Amino acid sequence: MGSIRRRTIYEYHRVEIDKVTIKSYSVVTIRPLPTCNRYGDCLGCSGAKIGFKCQWCQATKKCSDGMDRHRQLWIDNKCSQRPTGPICPAGSQKPNVIGQQSPKTESSKSAGATVGIVLAVIAAILLFGGVAVFVWYAYRNPTTKPGQWLIKHRPNNWKVTFFKRNTTTGDKYRVDSNTESTA
């Protein structure tokens, strides 16, 4: 019973809205302010001028002011006790802000492949659904042109011959259509 672990909940910011000014059919839009954790490298973090004291922690490779959703990671790695100056490791890249356009990476290429696969599956479903609707319509309306086509090309008019012995090419399976063309 001596090892009770307690969770601490930190309140970062409080949003207070005057309920008197809110009437029927009114909209309250809440836009987040820029925070330190949007910076993805040391140079961007150390040069951030957004109203917070942003610091880069090389151990976690995160930018923070110590009061965000990665606070426990920040404390565990003692990032608040590290030097606070703009000390960036050699070979740092140009500043990179998360959410802005950046060069194509491997994850964005795989995301493009995933989108392609999803679009191919949707196209296949639509094609199958279109053929099914066509056959249903033609079956239900036999006097229409699609209905006449379905009657002319129905599967029971196909002659299926297995192991035809008198072929010179040695075809084991062959499907012949018994449809007569009108010329």
Side-chain angles (χ1 to χ4, degrees):
M1 187 141 161
S3 64
I4 295 177
R5 189 169 180 178
R6 295 182 184 226
R7 291 186 121 182
T8 304
I9 299 174
Y10 296 96
E11 182 178 314
Y12 302 118
H13 303 285
R14 180 178 293 233
V15 177
E16 294 183 10
I17 300 171
D18 186 16
K19 294 178 185 173
V20 175
T21 59
I22 298 177
K23 306 274 189 241
S24 295
Y25 304 107
S26 61
V27 175
V28 176
T29 304
I30 300 172
R31 292 191 183 97
L33 296 172
T35 58
C36 296
N37 59 359
R38 70 185 281 202
Y39 295 98
D41 63 0
C42 181
L43 289 175
C45 180
S46 60
K49 295 185 180 11
I50 57 172
F52 294 105
K53 186 179 174 188
C54 298
Q55 296 177 0
W56 179 258
C57 181
Q58 190 62 30
T60 62
K61 301 222 183 306
K62 293 196 181 298
C63 182
S64 177
D65 62 345
M67 290 296 290
D68 60 11
R69 64 181 176 260
H70 300 294
R71 180 174 172 77
Q72 191 61 48
L73 184 65
W74 192 261
I75 291 170
D76 290 346
N77 286 290
K78 298 178 178 54
C79 294
S80 58
Q81 298 171 1
R82 296 178 190 269
T84 59
I87 301 170
C88 295
S92 292
Q93 303 170 352
K94 65 177 187 165
N96 180 21
V97 178
I98 298 170
Q100 290 183 348
Q101 292 290 342
S102 61
K104 292 265 183 189
T105 60
E106 200 63 37
S107 63
S108 64
K109 290 178 186 174
S110 66
T114 304
V115 169
I117 291 170
V118 168
L119 289 177
V121 168
I122 290 173
I125 290 171
L126 289 175
L127 179 66
F128 180 74
V131 168
V133 167
F134 172 80
V135 169
W136 176 81
Y137 175 78
Y139 182 77
R140 299 291 290 172
N141 301 294
T143 58
T144 61
K145 284 192 178 195
Q148 293 296 312
W149 184 90
L150 185 65
I151 290 170
K152 185 177 179 182
H153 296 94
R154 64 181 171 242
N156 62 357
N157 282 344
W158 298 347
K159 181 182 176 188
V160 179
T161 307
F162 289 102
F163 300 106
K164 193 169 187 179
R165 298 173 197 262
N166 59 358
T167 61
T168 58
T169 60
D171 293 339
K172 282 187 170 182
Y173 308 101
R174 185 171 172 184
V175 176
D176 293 328
S177 177
N178 285 339
T179 59
E180 297 176 17
S181 62
T182 56

